[in-house]
Amino acid sequence: MWYIERRLQDALKQDIGTGCEIPRLDPFAKEVMQFDREMPKVVCQGTDWVKCYNSECRVVKSILKTMKGIVCAYSDIIYQSDQKYILAEPVEVRGDEGYTLIKSDHVKVVCIGKHRNNNVTSNWEGHSTGIRSTLPRVPSKGREHSLNVLILGFDSTSRNGFIRRMPKSYRVLTEVLKATVLKGYNIVGDGTPAALFPLLTGKTELELPDLRKFKYKGYIDSMPFIFYKLRDDGYRTAYFEDMPWIGTFQYRFNGFLRQPADHYLRAFYLEESNNGKKWLTGKQDKYCVGDTPQYKLMLNITDQARQ
């Protein structure tokens, strides 16, 4: 018995302080570079007639210069649950007058007007999103000057893949912003939920209630997401994903019953993509929202949300 205890003590002493050995992999090793390839840039066609910035939507200047007698009908895209949204009754706005976002951050817009040079009638239909004004929250005592919190994720992208494909962004993070790179960060399980549950709740999927679709008809609102904690701490919150038809919390789960954050893009993307049917086409514009690449729209709206 004494011999076994002594061997255990010796083993523990050897392991103390060593932890897990993280492999040091070369992002540009020839073994992986043979599979690396340039992807075509996303190029979006046309010109959107209407853009929203923060809570104001209006016809863009280039359209006002070439068109006259413009009338636009704005329909708010109203979130009801992760599985359902409705379009509000359209509100007509003329010329360069603005439309203020109050009920929702997102609108479907239908416009009609005449070309100034030949009087020919044209119309445009599209979607736009901004950030409506929300009631300010009172921060917790001692937290009045807390920093903004931004988590920006690229699914199915490794750290080395990020270094290879986005070298300028990596240099800004590490050299300009002096960011800390979590070289030992890893997924805790299999699939996107196994990556985001630990990050957003502090728990693994196995530690949380089993709310998968095929076993349970409930929603995931009760889980301890970080944006709930931030909201209670006085923050204005936002949670954005860009592919709602295979959403992290909707593909194997039923998603949220109530909007989880002050600003949430799910209803917008469901409407804009026709519930994901747009992505069944092989067309390049499936990566676009009107005249804007989808990734740019996400970054633009995130920038507005932080202000």
Side-chain angles (χ1 to χ4, degrees):
M1 188 70 178
W2 173 86
Y3 175 76
I4 295 174
E5 289 180 357
R6 183 64 180 270
R7 291 292 299 273
L8 284 171
Q9 290 173 0
D10 290 344
L12 287 171
K13 286 179 182 177
Q14 292 176 6
D15 285 341
I16 289 174
T18 60
C20 192
E21 192 70 30
I22 305 297
R24 297 182 181 181
L25 304 176
D26 179 7
F28 302 99
K30 63 179 182 180
E31 291 83 1
V32 70
M33 289 302 291
Q34 63 180 314
F35 301 107
D36 193 59
R37 60 191 178 96
E38 289 285 338
M39 299 299 293
K41 290 186 177 181
V42 177
V43 179
C44 302
Q45 305 297 326
T47 301
D48 284 354
W49 285 29
V50 169
K51 296 284 187 181
C52 297
Y53 187 79
N54 287 335
S55 61
E56 288 297 313
C57 304
R58 61 180 66 247
V59 178
V60 299
K61 291 181 180 179
S62 61
I63 296 299
L64 289 171
K65 288 179 180 178
T66 58
M67 305 292 293
K68 64 181 180 180
I70 298 173
V71 180
C72 294
Y74 291 80
S75 298
D76 285 288
I77 304 170
I78 307 293
Y79 174 92
Q80 293 194 317
S81 74
D82 272 11
Q83 314 304 328
K84 185 179 180 183
Y85 68 90
I86 60 171
L87 292 176
E89 287 296 317
V91 176
E92 285 194 355
V93 176
R94 298 179 180 275
D96 63 351
E97 295 178 6
Y99 179 80
T100 302
L101 299 170
I102 297 176
K103 298 178 181 179
S104 172
D105 289 327
H106 338 292
V107 283
K108 179 179 180 179
V109 192
V110 178
C111 298
I112 190 169
K114 293 184 178 182
H115 290 269
R116 292 186 183 276
N117 58 355
N118 57 20
N119 223 32
V120 174
T121 299
S122 289
N123 56 65
W124 173 84
E125 180 178 320
H127 303 83
S128 192
T129 182
I131 295 290
R132 75 194 187 285
S133 297
T134 56
L135 292 175
R137 293 196 175 96
V138 178
S140 304
K141 189 175 181 180
R143 300 278 287 162
E144 294 85 356
H145 303 291
S146 297
L147 296 174
N148 288 341
V149 177
L150 173 62
I151 301 173
L152 178 63
F154 297 88
D155 196 15
S156 300
T157 301
S158 66
R159 177 172 63 86
N160 283 351
F162 183 83
I163 293 171
R164 282 193 299 272
R165 302 311 308 158
M166 302 186 71
K168 294 179 182 178
S169 297
Y170 188 75
R171 280 198 296 271
V172 169
L173 286 170
T174 55
E175 298 175 15
V176 179
L177 300 178
K178 305 298 182 183
T180 299
V181 178
L182 303 178
K183 297 180 180 179
Y185 172 79
N186 213 327
I187 194 170
V188 188
D190 180 41
T192 304
L196 287 191
F197 274 129
L199 189 66
L200 298 179
T201 71
K203 298 179 181 294
T204 67
E205 187 175 344
L206 295 177
E207 293 177 286
L208 295 164
D210 189 352
L211 299 176
R212 289 172 294 175
K213 275 183 180 178
F214 64 87
K215 291 187 67 175
Y216 188 78
K217 294 183 179 180
Y219 298 85
I220 63 171
D221 300 66
S222 60
M223 293 185 178
F225 286 102
I226 189 173
F227 31 78
Y228 296 158
K229 298 180 183 296
L230 291 170
R231 175 195 61 199
D232 295 341
D233 203 25
Y235 281 84
R236 184 172 67 168
T237 59
Y239 181 69
F240 303 149
E241 284 193 25
D242 60 355
M243 298 179 72
W245 48 97
I246 52 171
T248 304
F249 305 118
Q250 294 83 24
Y251 188 66
R252 291 196 292 113
F253 302 87
N254 292 311
F256 296 95
L257 180 60
R258 294 170 294 278
Q259 186 163 304
D262 296 318
H263 308 287
Y264 188 48
L265 284 178
R266 181 166 175 80
F268 170 78
Y269 272 123
L270 286 173
E271 162 61 25
E272 187 275 332
S273 68
N274 190 18
N275 286 305
K277 292 185 176 68
K278 182 177 82 170
W279 277 73
L280 298 178
T281 70
K283 296 179 180 178
Q284 176 74 359
D285 65 359
K286 67 182 180 182
Y287 300 108
C288 300
V289 177
D291 64 3
T292 304
Q294 190 166 271
Y295 73 90
K296 280 192 176 181
L297 181 141
M298 293 284 287
L299 292 174
N300 290 342
I301 205 68
T302 298
D303 186 54
Q304 293 178 45
R306 70 175 181 84
Q307 298 177 19

